[in-house]
Amino acid sequence: MKGLSRIAVAGVAAIVGTAGLSACGAAASQKAAAAPLVVLPSPIGSYSRNFNPFSPTDLPGTTGLVYQDLFYFNPLKSQTYPMLGTSFAWSGHGTVLTVHLRKNVKWTNGQPFNADDVVYTFDLLKRYPALDTNGIWKVLSKVKAVNSDVVTFIFKAPNVPYQWYVLGETPIIDQALWKQVSDPVKYGNPNPVGTGPYLLKSFSPQVYSFSANASYWGGKPKVPTVEYPAYTSNSSADLALSRGKIDWAGLFIPNAQKVYVKPNPKQNHYWFPPNYIVILYTNLKNPLLAQLPVRQAISLAINREKIDKVGEYGYENPSSPTGLILPNNKAWLNPSLPPQDVSFSYNPAKAVSILKSAGYKKNAQGIFTSPSGQPLSFTLNVVSSATDWVSDASIMQSELHNVGIKLTVNQEQYGAFYGALKSGTYQLAIWGSSPGPTPYYLYNALLSPSSIGNYEHWNSSATNAALAQYSASSNLSVQKHAMYAIEHTMATQLPSIPLVNGPNWYEYNTSQYTGWPTPSNPYSNVTPASAFGTTVVLMHLHPVAK
Amino acid sequence: MKFVAQRFLFLLLSVWAAITINFFLPRMMPGNPAEVMLARYQGKLNPQALHALALQFGISHQPLWVQYWSYLISLLHGNLGVSVSYYPTPVTTVIAQSLPWTLALAGTATVISVVAGTWLGVISAWHRGTIVDDILPIATTVSSAIPYFWMALLLLYLFGFLLGWFPLGHAYSTIMVPSWSAGFVGNLLAHAILPLSTILISSLGGWLMSMRNNMLHILDDDFMTFGEARGLSSRRLVYIYAARNAILPNLTGFSMALGFVVSGALLTEIVFSYPGLGYQLFTAVENEDYPLMQGLFLIIALAVLLANFITELIYARLDPRVREE
């Protein structure tokens, strides 16, 4: 007994010792300044120190607060902010992009920023294709500095829409510092040096913070400290949010009005603007789904209002048949489209009549069969952890059953789900889409035969021609007419079936700071998870006068 | 010596088996880390990123046996790969950050639970027939019959949420900077009390019951009666004669339990958002982070196997009958 307890005591001492060591090494920082802005983009249990702006898992704030892009494209309305660039122009029939850079910008280590940094950034992506997540060098052939404040990008073929990836989605890094990095792909960049309005102030696995950059080119931000605490789950984060411990969040909250706003209606606000469209992907390699009447019947039989109200807490309005994200894309909507092509109608009776007139007949089980005798019975894949989509799937299952189409819901893990979606070994699937600042990006990802996101395998020469037309022109009216053609195709040909608008989660508390984006003034993307948009929001915020 | 060599050989064989299963299992799952990542970040990453991600994660199309061989080689170098969910942090770093918390929480809980449970078992057996022996076993049986995650939720709700005596989660307050100051250590302890009590309450009963039952056997032995007749003090009789003999099975249990400490009190850590290995395992499973899962399983398997090996050695030392077989 004696011997045992001695061992035990020694063990405990050793254990406490190791825990203490790691805790000491974790961080050293000053005392927190008054009224930090507490931000929670999404719950992450504990942080690992990754401020590499090219990494898909960089910590929120790396891009935006520290590293900046050349321009910021606001997805909520057609609006462009000059950041490190001041102006850009296309020439050479959409193959040459010339960018003028901002003068007198300094990195936070005091070194001046110039065109060489921009060229170095893009060359780095070329040397390390693993960093080039937007595939820029598939279309770009050369980047060169004309002088210290002008850079030109030369494309292999006309590709005007790539301006977004080049100007708006590529963080510019400091060449002097990054030249010393041996493997930028695996580099965690523990002490980031950028051009943005904030500097890293402290880091620990449970919280990290940024402090205002006094020499920021846009003026010193009015929010002195921005803090990112770690929360392990949505529910613990929701709790902290409703207790006013978080100023700006990008969280899903069930019954936001009741749970979040009602306890403190003056200061707690939320707005969930549409960000992408949720699509019922129809695999066109399937001979039944390749038939337009079948896709039309499925679309007509789905009650999107019910999906919104029952499956999605009323946060996700029905999409437009055009596939446009409305109202964000309203400037791009063809004004002469008939109303049935602008908004969906729920009409199960019409679904039945369409199938009947196309020669489909109900079998003994009440399921429609094709003229060649195949029943309209499909498997619908959905990611099991996307619980809202799982309930949407069961709503669709019962609605389609009512008109004589059988669905079997198949819940899968991410890996299995995406593998089937990508390889085309599925029948129906619920999945999102890839939006951009104009409708082109979503359409191109969804409909271009060369896009990985063309999961339904749509290939139409008319669509390809319209996409190419947009690509080759920086003239707005040419671009609009190209988009009008695709809007019509989406609404009448149903390459896949839009369901509801997927939102961005955005909650904010006005007790410390005001100036937040609102539905009447959507000056920037609202979620703190949006990389480059966060800077624009932070620069608009100012302390509440007390 | 032959016994030790034999056991050591068996240890090596089990470690090899664990590593091999650990290598092949995730590769039998559909999808690869790049696709999982793309799917998880849908909206943030566009599908074009797939190629870049595949390069980042070093997704290999080499034959399986080549991959297996390079996996073994990198294991020998202590390289467990790169975590997908904490990319580009190496798995070893993630484990090194979480291990101390788990050791501190589950380790302390196990040690306290064994010591207290064993001691209470002795008391209970010695005072058999009295009120102490009526209450203790029943109370602890009830408490260990309650599933421990449910106990965790209950404690969290009562003392954390309703009464507000203890924090709701984490290992320390996010506003604090880790240091050796009294304030921070106090903060650590305040955060540890609820998860610690959860494990303690639910595991105490097992130790108590096994010690009590062993004691009852020994107390009936002739040498105890003889010792009592010789006039030995009851204190000496209980601790030196009875408990010393009865503790063998508990000692085995203890060293086994130490092996399992590493796997963390999975559910307790999840309920209290405690940043230990159990919580990491949970997030790794949730994110389909196979490299991290593999690393964690490897650590857990190694710890259990090692504990097993050490137990066998200790047992052979304490009980010569094992050695002779």
Side-chain angles (χ1 to χ4, degrees):
Chain A
M1 198 67 202
K2 233 183 186 173
L4 181 68
S5 58
R6 203 183 319 127
I7 294 167
V9 169
V12 172
I15 287 157
V16 171
T18 44
L21 275 180
S22 77
C24 282
S29 83
Q30 311 95 318
K31 246 181 150 182
L37 182 86
V38 181
V39 186
L40 183 63
S42 64
I44 300 175
S46 69
Y47 299 124
S48 58
R49 193 165 186 151
N50 179 7
F51 295 104
N52 181 341
F54 301 112
S55 165
T57 52
D58 59 343
L59 289 172
T62 308
T63 45
L65 268 60
V66 178
Y67 292 98
Q68 296 193 294
D69 47 0
L70 294 167
F71 292 85
Y72 174 63
F73 296 83
N74 179 4
L76 294 187
K77 63 179 195 185
S78 301
Q79 183 184 22
T80 306
Y81 290 88
M83 304 302 280
L84 291 175
T86 51
S87 67
F88 65 90
W90 282 93
S91 55
H93 304 285
T95 56
V96 179
L97 174 63
T98 306
V99 180
H100 286 259
L101 302 176
R102 193 175 292 279
K103 291 171 186 170
N104 303 322
V105 173
K106 283 198 162 60
W107 297 97
T108 49
N109 63 2
Q111 296 302 308
F113 154 84
N114 63 36
D116 291 339
D117 293 313
V118 178
V119 173
Y120 183 81
T121 302
F122 285 90
D123 281 345
L124 191 76
L125 299 186
K126 188 180 188 180
R127 279 189 287 136
Y128 295 94
L131 300 177
D132 188 8
T133 48
N134 289 315
I136 287 173
W137 284 97
K138 282 184 188 141
V139 298
L140 203 61
S141 80
K142 204 174 172 189
V143 179
K144 63 178 186 199
V146 176
N147 59 42
S148 69
D149 354 280
V150 180
V151 178
T152 56
F153 297 87
I154 297 153
F155 288 78
K156 290 173 183 163
N159 211 328
V160 173
Y162 248 78
Q163 70 184 30
W164 178 46
Y165 299 113
V166 170
L167 304 176
E169 291 281 281
T170 306
I172 305 301
I173 51 161
D174 177 348
Q175 72 160 335
L177 292 175
W178 283 75
K179 264 182 178 162
Q180 299 160 17
V181 176
S182 60
D183 183 359
V185 178
K186 296 222 160 77
Y187 182 49
N189 193 22
N191 300 300
V193 171
T195 54
Y198 286 89
L199 304 145
L200 182 65
K201 183 183 173 196
S202 71
F203 175 86
S204 86
Q206 297 211 353
V207 62
Y208 62 93
S209 63
F210 295 98
S211 56
N213 174 6
S215 52
Y216 179 53
W217 55 262
K220 190 181 179 183
K222 296 192 178 76
V223 179
T225 312
V226 184
E227 198 175 278
Y228 289 79
Y231 282 90
T232 45
S233 69
N234 229 52
S235 49
S236 62
D238 283 356
L239 194 69
L241 184 67
S242 60
R243 288 191 173 175
K245 287 183 177 170
I246 300 171
D247 296 301
W248 185 15
L251 293 170
F252 165 76
I253 312 182
N255 300 316
Q257 186 63 34
K258 188 175 153 228
V259 173
Y260 180 57
V261 175
K262 215 176 151 199
N264 187 1
K266 277 205 179 127
Q267 294 175 334
N268 291 359
H269 308 273
Y270 76 93
W271 176 36
F272 300 151
N275 172 42
Y276 63 100
I277 56 174
V278 180
I279 296 177
L280 177 65
Y281 283 90
T282 50
N283 189 346
L284 302 175
K285 283 184 190 162
N286 179 298
L288 289 174
L289 291 170
Q291 304 302 314
L292 180 59
V294 174
R295 299 201 300 277
Q296 283 174 326
I298 291 176
S299 181
L300 283 164
I302 294 171
N303 185 347
R304 292 173 176 80
E305 296 283 347
K306 190 172 170 189
I307 288 180
D308 177 29
K309 295 281 172 319
V310 179
E312 307 285 357
Y313 293 90
Y315 298 157
E316 308 196 3
N317 299 330
S319 308
S320 163
T322 56
L324 293 180
I325 305 165
L326 296 174
N328 309 5
N329 295 150
K330 64 179 179 238
W332 296 85
L333 180 66
N334 182 355
S336 58
L337 273 184
Q340 74 269 20
D341 288 352
V342 179
S343 49
F344 280 114
S345 55
Y346 168 57
N347 195 340
K350 194 175 170 197
V352 171
S353 71
I354 283 180
L355 286 176
K356 279 187 176 157
S357 59
Y360 289 74
K361 290 190 177 61
K362 279 194 178 177
N363 66 12
Q365 288 84 41
I367 303 298
F368 272 108
T369 55
S370 70
S372 59
Q374 286 167 299
L376 293 186
S377 168
F378 304 107
T379 308
L380 170 58
N381 287 2
V382 60
V383 174
S384 56
S385 52
T387 48
D388 57 334
W389 288 355
V390 173
S391 52
D392 297 349
S394 59
I395 293 169
M396 286 195 271
Q397 188 180 32
S398 72
E399 307 239 297
L400 290 179
H401 184 80
N402 291 342
V403 298
I405 299 172
K406 191 180 170 197
L407 281 194
T408 310
V409 178
N410 180 25
Q411 298 188 30
E412 287 184 309
Q413 294 267 301
Y414 278 113
F417 175 88
Y418 192 75
L421 190 69
K422 190 178 138 255
S423 60
T425 52
Y426 73 100
Q427 295 181 325
L428 294 169
I430 301 180
W431 194 238
S433 47
S434 304
T438 76
Y440 169 86
Y441 300 91
L442 195 149
Y443 286 157
N444 184 56
L446 183 68
L447 304 172
S448 162
S450 63
S451 158
I452 297 172
N454 186 350
Y455 305 119
E456 76 283 357
H457 301 283
W458 177 257
N459 191 353
S460 131
S461 52
T463 311
N464 299 347
L467 289 171
Q469 194 188 357
Y470 180 105
S471 262
S473 174
S474 53
N475 179 314
L476 191 62
S477 87
V478 174
Q479 291 186 333
K480 277 190 178 173
H481 277 93
M483 293 298 97
Y484 291 172
I486 298 184
E487 288 163 22
H488 180 72
T489 305
M490 282 292 292
T492 56
Q493 303 294 309
L494 293 162
S496 268
I497 303 171
L499 293 174
V500 289
N501 289 333
N504 257 336
W505 309 117
Y506 165 48
E507 296 89 9
Y508 61 101
N509 180 310
T510 53
S511 62
Q512 307 279 2
Y513 294 97
T514 58
W516 302 93
T518 58
S520 58
N521 184 16
Y523 62 79
S524 162
N525 199 353
V526 294
T527 164
S530 95
F532 296 106
T534 45
T535 322
V536 178
V537 175
L538 282 170
M539 292 306 290
H540 277 75
L541 294 184
H542 48 87
V544 173
K546 277 182 185 164
Chain B
M1 211 47 226
K2 193 185 162 215
F3 173 80
V4 174
Q6 224 174 23
R7 292 291 90 194
F8 188 70
L9 214 67
F10 182 74
L11 173 73
L12 286 186
L13 201 70
S14 335
V15 168
W16 172 77
I19 290 173
T20 307
I21 293 172
N22 206 5
F23 171 80
F24 284 102
L25 266 187
R27 280 165 182 77
M28 287 155 72
M29 301 290 291
N32 65 42
E35 291 180 355
V36 170
M37 177 77 114
L38 188 70
R40 287 192 56 80
Y41 284 78
Q42 81 110 353
K44 188 182 168 191
L45 285 172
N46 82 55
Q48 300 286 9
L50 203 56
H51 177 65
L53 290 178
L55 287 172
Q56 289 196 4
F57 295 135
I59 287 160
S60 154
H61 299 286
Q62 287 172 311
L64 218 50
W65 68 269
V66 178
Q67 293 184 43
Y68 178 59
W69 184 246
S70 53
Y71 176 72
L72 289 183
I73 299 292
S74 53
L75 267 191
L76 283 179
H77 291 92
N79 177 4
L80 295 176
V82 173
S83 159
V84 175
S85 44
Y86 294 103
Y87 190 85
T89 311
V91 168
T92 40
T93 312
V94 178
I95 292 178
Q97 275 174 2
S98 325
L99 192 63
W101 294 111
T102 287
L103 287 182
L105 180 70
T108 315
T110 307
V111 170
I112 297 178
S113 166
V114 172
V115 173
T118 307
W119 182 66
L120 287 176
V122 173
I123 304 269
S124 178
W126 185 247
H127 297 283
R128 77 200 129 150
T130 68
I131 186 124
V132 177
D133 189 40
D134 285 342
I135 293 173
L136 270 180
I138 294 175
T140 51
T141 309
V142 170
S143 72
S144 43
I146 300 174
Y148 76 103
F149 61 90
W150 192 79
M151 173 75 74
L153 287 170
L154 194 73
L155 292 183
L156 184 66
Y157 180 72
L158 275 182
F159 299 106
F161 185 75
L162 275 190
L163 296 172
W165 292 353
F166 298 103
L168 292 171
H170 295 304
Y172 55 89
S173 296
T174 49
I175 50 161
M176 298 200 79
V177 177
S179 68
W180 274 124
S181 69
F184 184 74
V185 173
N187 190 273
L188 271 185
L189 290 179
H191 280 80
I193 283 178
L194 283 186
L196 201 75
S197 324
T198 306
I199 309 175
L200 213 57
I201 292 172
S202 49
S203 62
L204 200 63
W207 301 111
L208 186 150
M209 289 308 284
S210 87
M211 190 61 190
R212 177 180 176 272
N213 294 346
N214 297 333
M215 280 289 286
L216 289 183
H217 273 288
I218 307 275
L219 288 179
D220 282 343
D221 275 341
D222 291 342
F223 71 88
M224 289 300 295
T225 325
F226 183 68
E228 215 171 338
R230 281 284 307 271
L232 293 177
S233 75
S234 60
R235 210 186 151 74
R236 192 174 162 84
L237 214 50
V238 175
Y239 290 107
I240 307 297
Y241 287 81
R244 198 169 177 178
N245 279 298
I247 206 166
L248 263 179
N250 262 26
L251 200 60
T252 328
F254 174 62
S255 46
M256 290 293 292
L258 278 186
F260 283 103
V261 159
V262 174
S263 67
L266 183 80
L267 295 169
T268 310
E269 288 184 5
I270 294 168
V271 171
F272 292 103
S273 304
Y274 211 80
L277 288 182
Y279 175 73
Q280 292 298 2
L281 185 59
F282 172 69
T283 43
V285 170
E286 218 182 28
N287 296 335
E288 293 174 62
D289 184 349
Y290 293 123
L292 183 53
M293 262 190 265
Q294 280 180 306
L296 290 168
F297 283 138
L298 188 73
I299 296 287
I300 293 167
L302 284 182
V304 173
L305 288 173
L306 263 178
N308 234 324
F309 175 67
I310 293 168
T311 310
E312 279 175 326
L313 294 188
I314 293 178
Y315 216 90
R317 174 121 195 99
L318 294 178
D319 191 345
R321 282 169 298 181
V322 178
R323 241 175 321 179
E324 279 155 19
E325 266 167 37

